Amino acid sequence: MAFALLPVIILSIVQMQADFRVQEADRAQALQLAATRASLSAKARLDSTVVLLDALSPETLGAYCGPRLSSLVQRLEGYQALYRMSPTGDIVCGSRPAMATSTPEVVRGRPWFQRLRSGEHAVVMRANGRVADGPSVIVAVRSERPMGRFDGAMTAVIPLEALQPDVTDPDLPAGSQAALTDAQGNVLISTDPAAFDLKGRGLKGWVDRARDTAGGSSLFEGDTAARGHRVFSGAALAGRDVYVVLSAPAPDLWSWAVLNPIGNLLLPLGAWLTAFAAVMLVSERIVVRWLDYLERIAAIYARGRFSVRPIQAAHAPTEIRVLARTLDDLAETITTRDRALLDSLSEKDALMREIHHRVKNNLQIISSLLSMQQRALTDPAAKAAVGDTRQRIAALALIYRTLYQSADLRYADAKVFLGDLVGQLVAGEALRGPMVTSSVDADSLVIDPDKLAPLALWLVEAVSNAQKHAFAGRGGDLKVRFRVQGDTSVLEVQDDGPGVTDAQARGVGRTLMNAFAKQLRGEAELVPGSEGGSIARMTFATPEAVIPDDPADIIRREAGT
């Protein structure tokens, strides 16, 4: 039924569109007539100015020319200035003093002066900014001697505001705006500049169309940057120099509804809506209700709950039952696949932990073998080299132990790892010399194992250097600090030994520390401590800028420590 009545609505819309086109043409014609009236009104003003200048021309040769012109400007409305020019371009007199830039050479170079000298009786052109106080036009009339010889000019400066059309005309469409342009289509003055900005290119080109049209008027449409689609109508204001343009919003769908009687559409639209409501009511009872039910089931599945089944759809129409069975099969398949994936992930996790555990055990075996070899060596340098290698292997083994003991195999907390590593390094040397006390103050940082390895090896070298050069034969206090400072992090190892020695600055350990720092896109340095001893410091790019897990670290950061 709804589709059967649809052609009636289409025919009504076509008829209304035809009526709208007629009214649109009447609207455009009214705009064009208004532009013509505006041009005639302004032209009458300019013609009266020409008559006034012709009448004043013989009266401006006396001694009191200037005061008479000043008095006339004050009494006449819409004039800014009056001037008398000599044949050579000199200002003989004026209603106000001439500007410094209005020299005879400049005046003779003006197009309007040259046109008067070539024989034109009257010229209307836009005034130069150095002549007028604001947007204005110059009306110039040729003065002649009895034999027709050029004898200068009379000029009047008229503000463009005095020539601008009145947009409050009741015959104009709502939202109309007015503007004056020069012969190139450049806007001289307007009631709303945005209404004449045709996507950044102004009105250039419309004047040529106006000249080619009978009567010197033109009607065209265009899209403005800020005021949408508009209709424009223009006409010549003064010969070939000044033009008037009116702009009004182009009718749209809303104006279509306003301008055309809605009664032509009301009855067919009402019948169509009635039929449509009946169809919707039936479809609601038969189809839409069950579709809503299946949509709720699908939303539950989207949240990951596949235990719910669409059992109520057993009483639905056949097509709905088929769709419900499909959803049921989908939920069962997803549940089975999820269970298999979870089992696979659990197995993978167990295998990865086992791999890390075995790698750690193998590294510990290698460390034990090196320890046995170290005890068999008699050369101190060789024993020290093997001992350093053992510490590096032990550090790598600690990485794998940290990984298989952590909740996530992919990452490790640098705070926990650094504490364990420093304890292991200090404990390994506890039975071989004087006692060394240690403390670790570190921020939490979730870090990738690839970044943890060079960090651990750098710390091994820094602690080994302190044990060799600062604590050898005397013991001491070892402090390790790790700070995450946004995009950069700083790791420091401080001892209370005698300070920086040449052996520390040029040893193999120093070379390795620089190499490990470069792997972390950082740099290492060895500086004296403020209270004695030395500080090995590595500044590097933070591998992963995350908020520390330890609340104490957050409090310390907010306090600025």
Side-chain angles (χ1 to χ4, degrees), residues 226-243:
R227 297 292 184 265
H229 192 68
R230 299 181 71 89
V231 180
F232 298 86
S233 178
L237 186 69
R240 56 179 178 172
D241 299 310
V242 183
Y243 294 78

PDB file of all heavy atoms in Angstrom, residues 226-243:
ATOM      1  N   ALA A 226      31.482  31.963   2.992  1.00  0.00           N
ATOM      2  CA  ALA A 226      30.867  31.969   4.324  1.00  0.00           C
ATOM      3  C   ALA A 226      29.354  32.101   4.305  1.00  0.00           C
ATOM      4  O   ALA A 226      28.714  31.884   5.336  1.00  0.00           O
ATOM      5  CB  ALA A 226      31.464  33.111   5.154  1.00  0.00           C
ATOM      6  N   ARG A 227      28.751  32.463   3.178  1.00  0.00           N
ATOM      7  CA  ARG A 227      27.302  32.702   3.130  1.00  0.00           C
ATOM      8  C   ARG A 227      26.558  31.717   2.245  1.00  0.00           C
ATOM      9  O   ARG A 227      25.391  31.907   1.951  1.00  0.00           O
ATOM     10  CB  ARG A 227      27.025  34.141   2.652  1.00  0.00           C
ATOM     11  CG  ARG A 227      27.546  35.226   3.569  1.00  0.00           C
ATOM     12  CD  ARG A 227      26.791  35.245   4.884  1.00  0.00           C
ATOM     13  NE  ARG A 227      27.209  36.324   5.737  1.00  0.00           N
ATOM     14  CZ  ARG A 227      28.113  36.227   6.680  1.00  0.00           C
ATOM     15  NH1 ARG A 227      28.685  35.030   6.914  1.00  0.00           N
ATOM     16  NH2 ARG A 227      28.478  37.249   7.421  1.00  0.00           N
ATOM     17  N   GLY A 228      27.226  30.680   1.774  1.00  0.00           N
ATOM     18  CA  GLY A 228      26.551  29.648   0.993  1.00  0.00           C
ATOM     19  C   GLY A 228      26.239  30.092  -0.437  1.00  0.00           C
ATOM     20  O   GLY A 228      26.829  31.042  -0.967  1.00  0.00           O
ATOM     21  N   HIS A 229      25.299  29.398  -1.040  1.00  0.00           N
ATOM     22  CA  HIS A 229      24.922  29.668  -2.427  1.00  0.00           C
ATOM     23  C   HIS A 229      24.030  30.905  -2.476  1.00  0.00           C
ATOM     24  O   HIS A 229      23.035  30.996  -1.753  1.00  0.00           O
ATOM     25  CB  HIS A 229      24.190  28.458  -3.003  1.00  0.00           C
ATOM     26  CG  HIS A 229      24.022  28.520  -4.490  1.00  0.00           C
ATOM     27  ND1 HIS A 229      25.073  28.432  -5.370  1.00  0.00           N
ATOM     28  CD2 HIS A 229      22.900  28.680  -5.248  1.00  0.00           C
ATOM     29  CE1 HIS A 229      24.616  28.527  -6.603  1.00  0.00           C
ATOM     30  NE2 HIS A 229      23.299  28.673  -6.557  1.00  0.00           N
ATOM     31  N   ARG A 230      24.366  31.858  -3.356  1.00  0.00           N
ATOM     32  CA  ARG A 230      23.633  33.125  -3.437  1.00  0.00           C
ATOM     33  C   ARG A 230      23.382  33.494  -4.888  1.00  0.00           C
ATOM     34  O   ARG A 230      24.070  33.033  -5.817  1.00  0.00           O
ATOM     35  CB  ARG A 230      24.402  34.262  -2.737  1.00  0.00           C
ATOM     36  CG  ARG A 230      24.634  34.013  -1.257  1.00  0.00           C
ATOM     37  CD  ARG A 230      25.378  35.163  -0.612  1.00  0.00           C
ATOM     38  NE  ARG A 230      24.574  36.358  -0.489  1.00  0.00           N
ATOM     39  CZ  ARG A 230      23.795  36.621   0.558  1.00  0.00           C
ATOM     40  NH1 ARG A 230      23.705  35.747   1.552  1.00  0.00           N
ATOM     41  NH2 ARG A 230      23.095  37.738   0.615  1.00  0.00           N
ATOM     42  N   VAL A 231      22.374  34.383  -5.070  1.00  0.00           N
ATOM     43  CA  VAL A 231      22.033  34.930  -6.378  1.00  0.00           C
ATOM     44  C   VAL A 231      22.513  36.371  -6.426  1.00  0.00           C
ATOM     45  O   VAL A 231      22.332  37.127  -5.463  1.00  0.00           O
ATOM     46  CB  VAL A 231      20.510  34.863  -6.619  1.00  0.00           C
ATOM     47  CG1 VAL A 231      20.157  35.445  -7.982  1.00  0.00           C
ATOM     48  CG2 VAL A 231      20.027  33.427  -6.517  1.00  0.00           C
ATOM     49  N   PHE A 232      23.137  36.750  -7.541  1.00  0.00           N
ATOM     50  CA  PHE A 232      23.699  38.084  -7.695  1.00  0.00           C
ATOM     51  C   PHE A 232      23.049  38.779  -8.891  1.00  0.00           C
ATOM     52  O   PHE A 232      22.756  38.141  -9.915  1.00  0.00           O
ATOM     53  CB  PHE A 232      25.211  38.030  -7.916  1.00  0.00           C
ATOM     54  CG  PHE A 232      25.974  37.426  -6.779  1.00  0.00           C
ATOM     55  CD1 PHE A 232      26.145  36.048  -6.707  1.00  0.00           C
ATOM     56  CD2 PHE A 232      26.505  38.214  -5.774  1.00  0.00           C
ATOM     57  CE1 PHE A 232      26.845  35.479  -5.671  1.00  0.00           C
ATOM     58  CE2 PHE A 232      27.203  37.645  -4.723  1.00  0.00           C
ATOM     59  CZ  PHE A 232      27.374  36.281  -4.679  1.00  0.00           C
ATOM     60  N   SER A 233      22.818  40.092  -8.743  1.00  0.00           N
ATOM     61  CA  SER A 233      22.307  40.899  -9.838  1.00  0.00           C
ATOM     62  C   SER A 233      23.079  42.212  -9.838  1.00  0.00           C
ATOM     63  O   SER A 233      23.233  42.844  -8.790  1.00  0.00           O
ATOM     64  CB  SER A 233      20.802  41.164  -9.682  1.00  0.00           C
ATOM     65  OG  SER A 233      20.335  41.999 -10.727  1.00  0.00           O
ATOM     66  N   GLY A 234      23.579  42.617 -10.998  1.00  0.00           N
ATOM     67  CA  GLY A 234      24.379  43.829 -11.085  1.00  0.00           C
ATOM     68  C   GLY A 234      23.966  44.691 -12.249  1.00  0.00           C
ATOM     69  O   GLY A 234      23.366  44.235 -13.220  1.00  0.00           O
ATOM     70  N   ALA A 235      24.297  45.969 -12.135  1.00  0.00           N
ATOM     71  CA  ALA A 235      23.985  46.924 -13.201  1.00  0.00           C
ATOM     72  C   ALA A 235      25.013  48.039 -13.160  1.00  0.00           C
ATOM     73  O   ALA A 235      25.639  48.301 -12.122  1.00  0.00           O
ATOM     74  CB  ALA A 235      22.568  47.488 -13.036  1.00  0.00           C
ATOM     75  N   ALA A 236      25.181  48.706 -14.326  1.00  0.00           N
ATOM     76  CA  ALA A 236      26.129  49.818 -14.413  1.00  0.00           C
ATOM     77  C   ALA A 236      25.595  51.004 -13.630  1.00  0.00           C
ATOM     78  O   ALA A 236      24.431  51.363 -13.723  1.00  0.00           O
ATOM     79  CB  ALA A 236      26.356  50.197 -15.871  1.00  0.00           C
ATOM     80  N   LEU A 237      26.491  51.618 -12.858  1.00  0.00           N
ATOM     81  CA  LEU A 237      26.107  52.755 -12.036  1.00  0.00           C
ATOM     82  C   LEU A 237      26.454  54.069 -12.720  1.00  0.00           C
ATOM     83  O   LEU A 237      25.684  55.014 -12.700  1.00  0.00           O
ATOM     84  CB  LEU A 237      26.807  52.678 -10.673  1.00  0.00           C
ATOM     85  CG  LEU A 237      26.412  53.715  -9.646  1.00  0.00           C
ATOM     86  CD1 LEU A 237      24.992  53.478  -9.183  1.00  0.00           C
ATOM     87  CD2 LEU A 237      27.361  53.655  -8.462  1.00  0.00           C
ATOM     88  N   ALA A 238      27.638  54.103 -13.301  1.00  0.00           N
ATOM     89  CA  ALA A 238      28.100  55.341 -13.936  1.00  0.00           C
ATOM     90  C   ALA A 238      28.960  54.973 -15.127  1.00  0.00           C
ATOM     91  O   ALA A 238      30.172  54.773 -14.983  1.00  0.00           O
ATOM     92  CB  ALA A 238      28.872  56.203 -12.960  1.00  0.00           C
ATOM     93  N   GLY A 239      28.343  54.866 -16.265  1.00  0.00           N
ATOM     94  CA  GLY A 239      29.087  54.582 -17.480  1.00  0.00           C
ATOM     95  C   GLY A 239      29.843  53.278 -17.381  1.00  0.00           C
ATOM     96  O   GLY A 239      29.300  52.233 -17.096  1.00  0.00           O
ATOM     97  N   ARG A 240      31.142  53.327 -17.535  1.00  0.00           N
ATOM     98  CA  ARG A 240      31.979  52.125 -17.504  1.00  0.00           C
ATOM     99  C   ARG A 240      32.892  52.082 -16.306  1.00  0.00           C
ATOM    100  O   ARG A 240      33.880  51.352 -16.294  1.00  0.00           O
ATOM    101  CB  ARG A 240      32.835  52.082 -18.761  1.00  0.00           C
ATOM    102  CG  ARG A 240      33.671  53.339 -18.942  1.00  0.00           C
ATOM    103  CD  ARG A 240      34.534  53.276 -20.181  1.00  0.00           C
ATOM    104  NE  ARG A 240      35.286  54.507 -20.364  1.00  0.00           N
ATOM    105  CZ  ARG A 240      36.243  54.663 -21.294  1.00  0.00           C
ATOM    106  NH1 ARG A 240      36.519  53.667 -22.100  1.00  0.00           N
ATOM    107  NH2 ARG A 240      36.880  55.807 -21.404  1.00  0.00           N
ATOM    108  N   ASP A 241      32.606  52.873 -15.273  1.00  0.00           N
ATOM    109  CA  ASP A 241      33.539  53.008 -14.160  1.00  0.00           C
ATOM    110  C   ASP A 241      33.049  52.371 -12.867  1.00  0.00           C
ATOM    111  O   ASP A 241      33.814  51.709 -12.172  1.00  0.00           O
ATOM    112  CB  ASP A 241      33.836  54.491 -13.895  1.00  0.00           C
ATOM    113  CG  ASP A 241      34.476  55.155 -15.101  1.00  0.00           C
ATOM    114  OD1 ASP A 241      35.451  54.584 -15.613  1.00  0.00           O
ATOM    115  OD2 ASP A 241      33.994  56.222 -15.509  1.00  0.00           O
ATOM    116  N   VAL A 242      31.799  52.543 -12.469  1.00  0.00           N
ATOM    117  CA  VAL A 242      31.284  52.056 -11.190  1.00  0.00           C
ATOM    118  C   VAL A 242      30.026  51.240 -11.452  1.00  0.00           C
ATOM    119  O   VAL A 242      29.191  51.620 -12.283  1.00  0.00           O
ATOM    120  CB  VAL A 242      30.982  53.214 -10.217  1.00  0.00           C
ATOM    121  CG1 VAL A 242      30.512  52.672  -8.873  1.00  0.00           C
ATOM    122  CG2 VAL A 242      32.217  54.098 -10.029  1.00  0.00           C
ATOM    123  N   TYR A 243      29.882  50.110 -10.716  1.00  0.00           N
ATOM    124  CA  TYR A 243      28.759  49.207 -10.893  1.00  0.00           C
ATOM    125  C   TYR A 243      28.168  48.874  -9.529  1.00  0.00           C
ATOM    126  O   TYR A 243      28.867  48.876  -8.508  1.00  0.00           O
ATOM    127  CB  TYR A 243      29.199  47.912 -11.586  1.00  0.00           C
ATOM    128  CG  TYR A 243      29.668  48.106 -13.001  1.00  0.00           C
ATOM    129  CD1 TYR A 243      30.944  48.601 -13.264  1.00  0.00           C
ATOM    130  CD2 TYR A 243      28.845  47.811 -14.076  1.00  0.00           C
ATOM    131  CE1 TYR A 243      31.398  48.787 -14.563  1.00  0.00           C
ATOM    132  CE2 TYR A 243      29.278  47.986 -15.385  1.00  0.00           C
ATOM    133  CZ  TYR A 243      30.553  48.478 -15.620  1.00  0.00           C
ATOM    134  OH  TYR A 243      30.976  48.665 -16.904  1.00  0.00           O
TER     135      TYR A 243
END
